[in-house]
Amino acid sequence: MPVLTLQRSYKYIMYATKQPSLRIKQADLKCKSGCGFYGNADWEGYCSQCYRNHMDVERQKKSHNSQMPDQSRAQMSGFTKFEEKKRQQTDKKNKYLKSLPVFRKSSNVKDSGRPEKYIDIMRQANPDANKLMVEFITQYSQYGDIVKKDFFKCSQAFSNKVINELEVKPIEDLAETAQNYYNLYQNRVNSNSIYEDVPSEIREKLVEFFEKYTMIILYSFLFCPPTTNDEEKDLAIQNRIRKLSWVNAHHLDCCISETSIEVRDLVYTAINDLLGMDSMKAPLEKLACVVKCCRSVVEVLQHCQGGPVSADEFLPALIFVVLKANPARLKSNILYVTRFCKDSRLMQGEAGYYFTNLCCAVSFIENLTAESLNNMPEQEFEAYMSGELTCVSAWESALVACEGMHQLCEHLAFLKELSERTQIVQNTTQSLRDDMQKLKEGICDSVESVLERTPLIIKPRINPLTLTKEQLFTQTTQYGPQIETTNEVNTCTDTDIGQNYYLQNLSLTQINALDSTKNKLQLDITPCITLPEISKALNSNDFLSSSSAVDNKSIESITPDDNSYLGLSKVNYDIDFSDLSTENSVAEDLTPEKRKSPTPSFVIGDPFSPIGGSCPIAQTPLVPSSVFPQIESKNDGFVLPFLDDTEENVEDSLLDKVEVAPSASLPAPLVPTSSEYSGFSKQGSRIPNIPCSTGDFSSLNFAGNSNM
Amino acid sequence: MSAGPYNYSYIFKYIIIGDMGVGKSCLLHQFTEKKFMADCPHTIGVEFGTRIIEVSGQKIKLQIWDTAGQERFRAVTRSYYRGAAGALMVYDITRRSTYNHLSSWLTDTRNLTNPSTVIFLIGNKCDLEGQRDVTYEEASKFAEENGLMFVEASAKTGDNVEEAFLETAKKIYQSIQDGRLDLNAAESGVQHKPSQPGRNPLSNDQQANKDNCAC
């Protein structure tokens, strides 16, 4: 019974071929024959014992029925398969082995595949075996020739037996034969007197060496033998993995970060180790590759999650690596190791553990469904598998992402540089600001020091204020003519506060005073105008016309051409009227709106300045005279219509442009018109006929209308 | 690989099974390194561990295989069970779902191991008493009904971890002594040390006696 158990045992590893139902049913596992042991699909549902009995029966039947044993059938199909395998082998070599760090020349040692020739070829043309022989001699010759002889005798016996049975027995039987011989030799080493002197560690090594040596000799016969469908399985799993190329670490709930360069290097190392398995011959060596690969995987995981790794994370990562590696002849390799590696090695120890994991990974890939990939929707899974959906595989996208990361890094570096430069700019700005602050303080200090030295500057401001209010008129009377001239300058320069202030006060605050005076003026003036001598008026007119273009109307009205008292009286009357209306705002007339009406009054007032002597009030001539220059300038501005249009606060601009504006030219065109003048009343209707239609005339027109 | 000096008489293979995240690896690590896993971040993989213990004066090497607990790997992880002498079935006392899955884990274990395999139930994370979701009594009853050994342990503090592994080993050793466990069967999960090959020379031929697996 123990024998049967054992025979069955080492197959388990491979035959988890059922669909991954979540629960394993007892019935699924049992042998078809009902013997109570577990069966599996590869044995047609039998357990190993029943399968073998079954096969024996079949074989006997066949040999009875036809004299052709199935040996020949195997041989025939074997040849074609050999050719196919050879092709595939070389293809894969070209594809993979170049990149392998552990490439070992596994030349197509003995592909001639004729049992009769096997032994000869085995002897002569296996460089690996020869190399091992040399190695054995150098390592173990110290234990005497007898050990060496026995070793080669045993290995020879083993290989001969296997080769003899190669075409006769199924591969499973050969595997058992191999296991038997391993154990035979081990027992021999441990019990036979030949090996008495050999220490126990060396004995163990000898056993290992026996396995290695014999398997290297027999590799070409036992690896992917033509009697099996291993090769079809290889192709199937290869296609399967190709189809699954879109599966990424995320699908497997695996924490491999595919974008990290270091991780990718480690994953590539693991992949290389796994690919290296195919180039090894002895099961022991293949196992070593698996262990190496798995250690790399562990390292990857450790790198990714920064801590210890458990099997929960290990298996998905290994599956990922297998998917990305798509190792050549994966299935053949696994089957070969399963069959011909010493049984105990696969069940125990680190190598066994990792190999078990690899088998699990392969089994998972074979039976992978939508359900096993994070419960991916069935349709999506089908779409991926059929190639409808060709998402960029994670691995490729990782490369793209790496490129992106690379650019990102470059940009970050650039930004860093920029920020550094900005920092420099900010620093210099700060220093500049400090300098400015210092400069400002320095200036303030110096200003203060200057102010301290000359503290009286402020006082003069206050004194003139009081003075001007009280002595405003006295000043003006005394310096009347002078003010006329200085005002222009002063208003522009704005320095002499006293006089300027006087003007402002005059316009704004002294209105009441002016009102009173003007009211007096009016009272005084009206009689003056109604009763004037014509000669005086004429004189004054002469003076006005010659001095400046005061007001066309007034000029015209007073022109000597009319020579009618009526006209004069009318004019005078108008003047009085306008005077009354605008008397309040002497200064307001500075604004263009107010120019219309007030001007005549001052023009009229003006003629009285020479009459000042005759006029009982001494102050009256002064007010108009002081304002006169402004009026004059206004009129100049008046001539230019655009000034009215553009400037609202004409005061400053007008004053500025006093000098610019040509004033002398105005009277000339007006003189001819005055000759046509037929009367003031007609003027309004006539004005449009005047060729030079300045704004002044329109205003006059308006004034005339208002007067009418 | 039983190479090297044989300072032990037997090798027992254990597997640790249970849902993902119940602390299988931590238990293994606590047992082999006597440290909580999170406390030693530089530890390499702990999915495979060994430790030599002593039972009844016999030195025994324990080889412990950690397994992936994800549901979707259940179907393919059958090969883990092969040749296990002991199975530590772990659940998390703070997560009821891990306890509820025990019966399916038990079914797998029973189906895929030989009858003499010792199954030990461990309720892990017993240091998190405040978050307990499964009572001791309940689990104890479950263990009794199914003929399992049971203990609540904490991989973090190390409570009962040693005991769980040792008790399992004792039980296995007891089975050997009683003859219930056939040492020569590869599936027993027990290897005898090769210096005592004991029985049988080879009985040649196809009746190849690998029962002499005194390897």
Side-chain angles (χ1 to χ4, degrees), chain B residues 7-14 31 50-63 85 165-166 168-174 176-177 189-191 193:
Chain B
N7 50 1
Y8 49 85
S9 310
Y10 297 93
I11 302 173
F12 292 174
K13 174 182 165 182
Y14 283 14
F31 177 68
T50 57
R51 188 181 148 190
I52 294 171
I53 56 164
E54 204 174 298
V55 174
S56 308
Q58 292 277 11
K59 287 204 168 155
I60 296 168
K61 183 175 182 180
L62 296 185
Q63 277 190 352
F165 284 86
L166 289 182
T168 312
K170 275 181 197 165
K171 187 93 180 282
I172 296 167
Y173 188 70
Q174 193 62 47
I176 296 169
Q177 298 301 102
V190 176
Q191 287 179 302
K193 86 173 175 184

mmCIF file of all heavy atoms in Angstrom, chain B residues 7-14 31 50-63 85 165-166 168-174 176-177 189-191 193:
data_model
loop_
_atom_site.group_PDB
_atom_site.id
_atom_site.type_symbol
_atom_site.label_atom_id
_atom_site.label_comp_id
_atom_site.label_asym_id
_atom_site.label_seq_id
_atom_site.Cartn_x
_atom_site.Cartn_y
_atom_site.Cartn_z
ATOM 1 N N ASN B 7 21.622 16.593 12.255
ATOM 2 C CA ASN B 7 21.503 16.773 13.691
ATOM 3 C C ASN B 7 20.040 16.707 14.114
ATOM 4 O O ASN B 7 19.645 17.291 15.097
ATOM 5 C CB ASN B 7 22.129 18.093 14.122
ATOM 6 C CG ASN B 7 21.638 19.229 13.280
ATOM 7 O OD1 ASN B 7 20.815 19.017 12.388
ATOM 8 N ND2 ASN B 7 22.102 20.432 13.564
ATOM 9 N N TYR B 8 19.264 16.025 13.326
ATOM 10 C CA TYR B 8 17.865 15.825 13.687
ATOM 11 C C TYR B 8 17.431 14.452 13.187
ATOM 12 O O TYR B 8 18.015 13.899 12.263
ATOM 13 C CB TYR B 8 16.965 16.903 13.093
ATOM 14 C CG TYR B 8 17.191 17.140 11.623
ATOM 15 C CD1 TYR B 8 16.552 16.354 10.674
ATOM 16 C CD2 TYR B 8 18.069 18.125 11.211
ATOM 17 C CE1 TYR B 8 16.775 16.554 9.343
ATOM 18 C CE2 TYR B 8 18.309 18.316 9.868
ATOM 19 C CZ TYR B 8 17.654 17.538 8.934
ATOM 20 O OH TYR B 8 17.899 17.719 7.610
ATOM 21 N N SER B 9 16.393 13.937 13.799
ATOM 22 C CA SER B 9 15.974 12.578 13.465
ATOM 23 C C SER B 9 14.862 12.552 12.438
ATOM 24 O O SER B 9 14.721 11.594 11.687
ATOM 25 C CB SER B 9 15.487 11.861 14.727
ATOM 26 O OG SER B 9 16.449 11.999 15.753
ATOM 27 N N TYR B 10 14.056 13.578 12.452
ATOM 28 C CA TYR B 10 12.903 13.576 11.559
ATOM 29 C C TYR B 10 12.740 14.947 10.913
ATOM 30 O O TYR B 10 13.156 15.967 11.448
ATOM 31 C CB TYR B 10 11.606 13.262 12.312
ATOM 32 C CG TYR B 10 11.562 11.896 12.927
ATOM 33 C CD1 TYR B 10 11.962 11.707 14.238
ATOM 34 C CD2 TYR B 10 11.101 10.805 12.188
ATOM 35 C CE1 TYR B 10 11.918 10.449 14.813
ATOM 36 C CE2 TYR B 10 11.051 9.548 12.763
ATOM 37 C CZ TYR B 10 11.464 9.367 14.075
ATOM 38 O OH TYR B 10 11.427 8.126 14.637
ATOM 39 N N ILE B 11 12.089 14.918 9.791
ATOM 40 C CA ILE B 11 11.639 16.171 9.189
ATOM 41 C C ILE B 11 10.119 16.106 9.070
ATOM 42 O O ILE B 11 9.578 15.150 8.510
ATOM 43 C CB ILE B 11 12.236 16.399 7.786
ATOM 44 C CG1 ILE B 11 13.754 16.408 7.857
ATOM 45 C CG2 ILE B 11 11.738 17.713 7.213
ATOM 46 C CD1 ILE B 11 14.408 16.451 6.482
ATOM 47 N N PHE B 12 9.466 17.090 9.643
ATOM 48 C CA PHE B 12 8.010 17.167 9.509
ATOM 49 C C PHE B 12 7.675 18.328 8.586
ATOM 50 O O PHE B 12 8.214 19.419 8.750
ATOM 51 C CB PHE B 12 7.335 17.433 10.862
ATOM 52 C CG PHE B 12 7.422 16.303 11.847
ATOM 53 C CD1 PHE B 12 6.961 16.476 13.140
ATOM 54 C CD2 PHE B 12 7.959 15.077 11.482
ATOM 55 C CE1 PHE B 12 7.033 15.438 14.055
ATOM 56 C CE2 PHE B 12 8.040 14.035 12.401
ATOM 57 C CZ PHE B 12 7.579 14.221 13.702
ATOM 58 N N LYS B 13 6.767 18.075 7.706
ATOM 59 C CA LYS B 13 6.301 19.174 6.861
ATOM 60 C C LYS B 13 4.958 19.686 7.380
ATOM 61 O O LYS B 13 4.028 18.910 7.568
ATOM 62 C CB LYS B 13 6.138 18.702 5.409
ATOM 63 C CG LYS B 13 5.531 19.762 4.522
ATOM 64 C CD LYS B 13 5.322 19.270 3.105
ATOM 65 C CE LYS B 13 4.394 20.204 2.343
ATOM 66 N NZ LYS B 13 4.141 19.723 0.974
ATOM 67 N N TYR B 14 4.921 20.996 7.611
ATOM 68 C CA TYR B 14 3.680 21.651 8.030
ATOM 69 C C TYR B 14 3.200 22.549 6.896
ATOM 70 O O TYR B 14 4.006 23.129 6.172
ATOM 71 C CB TYR B 14 3.923 22.585 9.222
ATOM 72 C CG TYR B 14 4.075 21.921 10.575
ATOM 73 C CD1 TYR B 14 4.289 20.557 10.702
ATOM 74 C CD2 TYR B 14 4.011 22.703 11.715
ATOM 75 C CE1 TYR B 14 4.437 19.983 11.950
ATOM 76 C CE2 TYR B 14 4.158 22.142 12.969
ATOM 77 C CZ TYR B 14 4.381 20.776 13.091
ATOM 78 O OH TYR B 14 4.535 20.233 14.317
ATOM 79 N N PHE B 31 7.261 31.953 14.902
ATOM 80 C CA PHE B 31 7.771 30.663 15.344
ATOM 81 C C PHE B 31 9.232 30.471 14.949
ATOM 82 O O PHE B 31 10.039 29.993 15.746
ATOM 83 C CB PHE B 31 6.915 29.541 14.754
ATOM 84 C CG PHE B 31 7.400 28.179 15.102
ATOM 85 C CD1 PHE B 31 7.335 27.709 16.407
ATOM 86 C CD2 PHE B 31 7.946 27.355 14.129
ATOM 87 C CE1 PHE B 31 7.810 26.450 16.733
ATOM 88 C CE2 PHE B 31 8.411 26.098 14.455
ATOM 89 C CZ PHE B 31 8.346 25.643 15.759
ATOM 90 N N THR B 50 12.019 27.027 8.414
ATOM 91 C CA THR B 50 12.368 25.785 9.096
ATOM 92 C C THR B 50 12.831 26.092 10.518
ATOM 93 O O THR B 50 13.336 27.190 10.789
ATOM 94 C CB THR B 50 13.529 25.041 8.392
ATOM 95 O OG1 THR B 50 14.646 25.919 8.320
ATOM 96 C CG2 THR B 50 13.136 24.607 7.009
ATOM 97 N N ARG B 51 12.634 25.125 11.393
ATOM 98 C CA ARG B 51 13.167 25.252 12.745
ATOM 99 C C ARG B 51 13.279 23.859 13.344
ATOM 100 O O ARG B 51 12.403 23.009 13.113
ATOM 101 C CB ARG B 51 12.253 26.128 13.596
ATOM 102 C CG ARG B 51 12.860 26.439 14.950
ATOM 103 C CD ARG B 51 11.940 27.281 15.794
ATOM 104 N NE ARG B 51 12.103 26.976 17.200
ATOM 105 C CZ ARG B 51 11.296 27.429 18.137
ATOM 106 N NH1 ARG B 51 10.277 28.205 17.824
ATOM 107 N NH2 ARG B 51 11.510 27.113 19.396
ATOM 108 N N ILE B 52 14.319 23.689 14.068
ATOM 109 C CA ILE B 52 14.509 22.381 14.698
ATOM 110 C C ILE B 52 13.991 22.448 16.131
ATOM 111 O O ILE B 52 14.345 23.367 16.890
ATOM 112 C CB ILE B 52 15.989 21.972 14.666
ATOM 113 C CG1 ILE B 52 16.429 21.748 13.213
ATOM 114 C CG2 ILE B 52 16.213 20.719 15.491
ATOM 115 C CD1 ILE B 52 17.909 21.548 13.044
ATOM 116 N N ILE B 53 13.142 21.523 16.452
ATOM 117 C CA ILE B 53 12.613 21.481 17.809
ATOM 118 C C ILE B 53 12.936 20.100 18.414
ATOM 119 O O ILE B 53 13.457 19.211 17.732
ATOM 120 C CB ILE B 53 11.080 21.691 17.818
ATOM 121 C CG1 ILE B 53 10.408 20.649 16.925
ATOM 122 C CG2 ILE B 53 10.727 23.100 17.374
ATOM 123 C CD1 ILE B 53 8.934 20.531 17.179
ATOM 124 N N GLU B 54 12.597 19.957 19.645
ATOM 125 C CA GLU B 54 12.875 18.684 20.297
ATOM 126 C C GLU B 54 11.591 18.147 20.920
ATOM 127 O O GLU B 54 10.892 18.884 21.633
ATOM 128 C CB GLU B 54 13.947 18.863 21.363
ATOM 129 C CG GLU B 54 14.683 17.574 21.661
ATOM 130 C CD GLU B 54 15.853 17.805 22.611
ATOM 131 O OE1 GLU B 54 16.777 18.547 22.237
ATOM 132 O OE2 GLU B 54 15.810 17.278 23.732
ATOM 133 N N VAL B 55 11.291 16.930 20.576
ATOM 134 C CA VAL B 55 10.111 16.269 21.146
ATOM 135 C C VAL B 55 10.549 14.933 21.715
ATOM 136 O O VAL B 55 11.119 14.111 20.984
ATOM 137 C CB VAL B 55 9.026 16.064 20.074
ATOM 138 C CG1 VAL B 55 7.866 15.251 20.651
ATOM 139 C CG2 VAL B 55 8.543 17.394 19.537
ATOM 140 N N SER B 56 10.291 14.762 22.962
ATOM 141 C CA SER B 56 10.646 13.505 23.634
ATOM 142 C C SER B 56 12.099 13.124 23.380
ATOM 143 O O SER B 56 12.408 11.973 23.062
ATOM 144 C CB SER B 56 9.736 12.362 23.165
ATOM 145 O OG SER B 56 8.385 12.736 23.286
ATOM 146 N N GLY B 57 12.941 14.090 23.445
ATOM 147 C CA GLY B 57 14.359 13.827 23.266
ATOM 148 C C GLY B 57 14.782 13.655 21.821
ATOM 149 O O GLY B 57 15.965 13.511 21.521
ATOM 150 N N GLN B 58 13.850 13.692 20.904
ATOM 151 C CA GLN B 58 14.188 13.549 19.493
ATOM 152 C C GLN B 58 14.208 14.925 18.834
ATOM 153 O O GLN B 58 13.293 15.723 19.037
ATOM 154 C CB GLN B 58 13.133 12.689 18.788
ATOM 155 C CG GLN B 58 13.113 11.248 19.207
ATOM 156 C CD GLN B 58 14.155 10.423 18.459
ATOM 157 O OE1 GLN B 58 15.017 10.988 17.774
ATOM 158 N NE2 GLN B 58 14.084 9.117 18.608
ATOM 159 N N LYS B 59 15.246 15.143 18.087
ATOM 160 C CA LYS B 59 15.294 16.417 17.368
ATOM 161 C C LYS B 59 14.507 16.298 16.066
ATOM 162 O O LYS B 59 14.702 15.354 15.295
ATOM 163 C CB LYS B 59 16.740 16.806 17.081
ATOM 164 C CG LYS B 59 17.444 17.266 18.328
ATOM 165 C CD LYS B 59 18.605 18.176 18.001
ATOM 166 C CE LYS B 59 19.094 18.832 19.268
ATOM 167 N NZ LYS B 59 20.503 19.244 19.183
ATOM 168 N N ILE B 60 13.669 17.245 15.893
ATOM 169 C CA ILE B 60 12.798 17.208 14.710
ATOM 170 C C ILE B 60 12.918 18.528 13.970
ATOM 171 O O ILE B 60 12.819 19.606 14.570
ATOM 172 C CB ILE B 60 11.330 16.966 15.114
ATOM 173 C CG1 ILE B 60 11.201 15.586 15.763
ATOM 174 C CG2 ILE B 60 10.398 17.096 13.914
ATOM 175 C CD1 ILE B 60 9.881 15.367 16.441
ATOM 176 N N LYS B 61 13.121 18.414 12.686
ATOM 177 C CA LYS B 61 13.183 19.627 11.864
ATOM 178 C C LYS B 61 11.791 19.890 11.284
ATOM 179 O O LYS B 61 11.234 19.029 10.596
ATOM 180 C CB LYS B 61 14.189 19.452 10.738
ATOM 181 C CG LYS B 61 14.365 20.689 9.898
ATOM 182 C CD LYS B 61 15.460 20.495 8.867
ATOM 183 C CE LYS B 61 15.677 21.741 8.048
ATOM 184 N NZ LYS B 61 16.747 21.543 7.044
ATOM 185 N N LEU B 62 11.287 21.053 11.608
ATOM 186 C CA LEU B 62 9.980 21.432 11.057
ATOM 187 C C LEU B 62 10.197 22.268 9.805
ATOM 188 O O LEU B 62 10.941 23.243 9.828
ATOM 189 C CB LEU B 62 9.172 22.233 12.071
ATOM 190 C CG LEU B 62 8.767 21.529 13.368
ATOM 191 C CD1 LEU B 62 7.867 22.432 14.179
ATOM 192 C CD2 LEU B 62 8.076 20.205 13.086
ATOM 193 N N GLN B 63 9.535 21.862 8.750
ATOM 194 C CA GLN B 63 9.548 22.655 7.521
ATOM 195 C C GLN B 63 8.137 23.193 7.333
ATOM 196 O O GLN B 63 7.189 22.419 7.193
ATOM 197 C CB GLN B 63 9.916 21.788 6.324
ATOM 198 C CG GLN B 63 11.388 21.593 6.162
ATOM 199 C CD GLN B 63 11.694 20.927 4.837
ATOM 200 O OE1 GLN B 63 10.800 20.491 4.124
ATOM 201 N NE2 GLN B 63 12.975 20.851 4.519
ATOM 202 N N ALA B 85 2.599 16.697 7.074
ATOM 203 C CA ALA B 85 2.367 15.920 8.285
ATOM 204 C C ALA B 85 1.456 16.675 9.240
ATOM 205 O O ALA B 85 0.739 16.085 10.036
ATOM 206 C CB ALA B 85 3.685 15.595 8.974
ATOM 207 N N PHE B 165 2.752 24.913 17.523
ATOM 208 C CA PHE B 165 3.661 24.144 16.673
ATOM 209 C C PHE B 165 4.169 22.895 17.396
ATOM 210 O O PHE B 165 4.262 21.814 16.801
ATOM 211 C CB PHE B 165 4.844 25.018 16.236
ATOM 212 C CG PHE B 165 4.507 25.999 15.158
ATOM 213 C CD1 PHE B 165 3.974 27.237 15.461
ATOM 214 C CD2 PHE B 165 4.727 25.679 13.823
ATOM 215 C CE1 PHE B 165 3.664 28.148 14.462
ATOM 216 C CE2 PHE B 165 4.421 26.582 12.818
ATOM 217 C CZ PHE B 165 3.875 27.811 13.136
ATOM 218 N N LEU B 166 4.467 23.071 18.656
ATOM 219 C CA LEU B 166 5.026 21.952 19.400
ATOM 220 C C LEU B 166 3.992 20.860 19.637
ATOM 221 O O LEU B 166 4.305 19.669 19.524
ATOM 222 C CB LEU B 166 5.591 22.451 20.743
ATOM 223 C CG LEU B 166 6.865 23.280 20.637
ATOM 224 C CD1 LEU B 166 7.348 23.681 22.018
ATOM 225 C CD2 LEU B 166 7.958 22.488 19.918
ATOM 226 N N THR B 168 1.496 20.163 17.817
ATOM 227 C CA THR B 168 1.308 19.458 16.547
ATOM 228 C C THR B 168 2.412 18.430 16.348
ATOM 229 O O THR B 168 2.160 17.278 15.972
ATOM 230 C CB THR B 168 1.305 20.462 15.381
ATOM 231 O OG1 THR B 168 0.432 21.544 15.706
ATOM 232 C CG2 THR B 168 0.827 19.813 14.107
ATOM 233 N N ALA B 169 3.633 18.868 16.613
ATOM 234 C CA ALA B 169 4.765 17.963 16.437
ATOM 235 C C ALA B 169 4.642 16.763 17.373
ATOM 236 O O ALA B 169 4.917 15.617 16.987
ATOM 237 C CB ALA B 169 6.063 18.715 16.701
ATOM 238 N N LYS B 170 4.209 17.029 18.579
ATOM 239 C CA LYS B 170 4.066 15.935 19.553
ATOM 240 C C LYS B 170 3.034 14.923 19.062
ATOM 241 O O LYS B 170 3.234 13.716 19.162
ATOM 242 C CB LYS B 170 3.621 16.499 20.906
ATOM 243 C CG LYS B 170 4.774 16.993 21.762
ATOM 244 C CD LYS B 170 4.251 17.507 23.091
ATOM 245 C CE LYS B 170 5.302 18.371 23.784
ATOM 246 N NZ LYS B 170 4.711 19.150 24.877
ATOM 247 N N LYS B 171 1.958 15.486 18.556
ATOM 248 C CA LYS B 171 0.888 14.606 18.075
ATOM 249 C C LYS B 171 1.382 13.751 16.918
ATOM 250 O O LYS B 171 1.090 12.549 16.843
ATOM 251 C CB LYS B 171 -0.294 15.479 17.628
ATOM 252 C CG LYS B 171 -1.543 14.730 17.249
ATOM 253 C CD LYS B 171 -2.484 14.594 18.434
ATOM 254 C CE LYS B 171 -3.753 13.842 18.078
ATOM 255 N NZ LYS B 171 -4.700 14.683 17.358
ATOM 256 N N ILE B 172 2.141 14.372 16.033
ATOM 257 C CA ILE B 172 2.667 13.625 14.886
ATOM 258 C C ILE B 172 3.637 12.540 15.373
ATOM 259 O O ILE B 172 3.596 11.389 14.937
ATOM 260 C CB ILE B 172 3.365 14.581 13.898
ATOM 261 C CG1 ILE B 172 2.365 15.570 13.303
ATOM 262 C CG2 ILE B 172 4.028 13.797 12.788
ATOM 263 C CD1 ILE B 172 3.024 16.725 12.582
ATOM 264 N N TYR B 173 4.485 12.963 16.293
ATOM 265 C CA TYR B 173 5.461 12.018 16.816
ATOM 266 C C TYR B 173 4.749 10.849 17.488
ATOM 267 O O TYR B 173 5.143 9.689 17.356
ATOM 268 C CB TYR B 173 6.382 12.721 17.803
ATOM 269 C CG TYR B 173 7.527 11.873 18.257
ATOM 270 C CD1 TYR B 173 8.558 11.545 17.381
ATOM 271 C CD2 TYR B 173 7.573 11.362 19.553
ATOM 272 C CE1 TYR B 173 9.604 10.748 17.779
ATOM 273 C CE2 TYR B 173 8.619 10.557 19.964
ATOM 274 C CZ TYR B 173 9.633 10.253 19.071
ATOM 275 O OH TYR B 173 10.668 9.459 19.472
ATOM 276 N N GLN B 174 3.682 11.202 18.186
ATOM 277 C CA GLN B 174 2.882 10.174 18.853
ATOM 278 C C GLN B 174 2.339 9.176 17.827
ATOM 279 O O GLN B 174 2.363 7.967 18.050
ATOM 280 C CB GLN B 174 1.726 10.847 19.618
ATOM 281 C CG GLN B 174 1.014 9.931 20.601
ATOM 282 C CD GLN B 174 1.977 9.449 21.684
ATOM 283 O OE1 GLN B 174 2.718 10.243 22.248
ATOM 284 N NE2 GLN B 174 1.977 8.143 21.954
ATOM 285 N N ILE B 176 3.628 8.464 15.046
ATOM 286 C CA ILE B 176 4.726 7.623 14.563
ATOM 287 C C ILE B 176 4.970 6.494 15.558
ATOM 288 O O ILE B 176 5.103 5.326 15.178
ATOM 289 C CB ILE B 176 5.993 8.465 14.369
ATOM 290 C CG1 ILE B 176 5.775 9.507 13.281
ATOM 291 C CG2 ILE B 176 7.168 7.578 14.014
ATOM 292 C CD1 ILE B 176 6.874 10.541 13.223
ATOM 293 N N GLN B 177 5.005 6.891 16.816
ATOM 294 C CA GLN B 177 5.261 5.903 17.848
ATOM 295 C C GLN B 177 4.162 4.840 17.859
ATOM 296 O O GLN B 177 4.438 3.674 18.071
ATOM 297 C CB GLN B 177 5.328 6.587 19.218
ATOM 298 C CG GLN B 177 6.442 7.601 19.355
ATOM 299 C CD GLN B 177 7.814 6.991 19.118
ATOM 300 O OE1 GLN B 177 8.397 7.146 18.048
ATOM 301 N NE2 GLN B 177 8.339 6.275 20.102
ATOM 302 N N GLY B 189 4.589 13.052 5.064
ATOM 303 C CA GLY B 189 5.150 14.338 5.437
ATOM 304 C C GLY B 189 6.235 14.203 6.479
ATOM 305 O O GLY B 189 6.696 15.191 7.031
ATOM 306 N N VAL B 190 6.617 12.993 6.730
ATOM 307 C CA VAL B 190 7.665 12.777 7.723
ATOM 308 C C VAL B 190 8.827 12.059 7.056
ATOM 309 O O VAL B 190 8.636 11.118 6.297
ATOM 310 C CB VAL B 190 7.138 11.921 8.892
ATOM 311 C CG1 VAL B 190 8.255 11.618 9.859
ATOM 312 C CG2 VAL B 190 5.993 12.627 9.566
ATOM 313 N N GLN B 191 9.986 12.533 7.300
ATOM 314 C CA GLN B 191 11.164 11.840 6.801
ATOM 315 C C GLN B 191 12.009 11.428 7.987
ATOM 316 O O GLN B 191 12.219 12.236 8.898
ATOM 317 C CB GLN B 191 11.973 12.769 5.898
ATOM 318 C CG GLN B 191 11.327 12.991 4.563
ATOM 319 C CD GLN B 191 12.157 13.939 3.742
ATOM 320 O OE1 GLN B 191 12.402 15.061 4.155
ATOM 321 N NE2 GLN B 191 12.609 13.488 2.603
ATOM 322 N N LYS B 193 15.537 10.295 9.556
ATOM 323 C CA LYS B 193 16.899 10.684 9.216
ATOM 324 C C LYS B 193 17.619 9.518 8.574
ATOM 325 O O LYS B 193 17.421 8.366 8.951
ATOM 326 C CB LYS B 193 17.624 11.192 10.445
ATOM 327 C CG LYS B 193 18.297 10.160 11.305
ATOM 328 C CD LYS B 193 19.105 10.884 12.365
ATOM 329 C CE LYS B 193 19.715 9.886 13.347
ATOM 330 N NZ LYS B 193 20.406 10.578 14.419
#
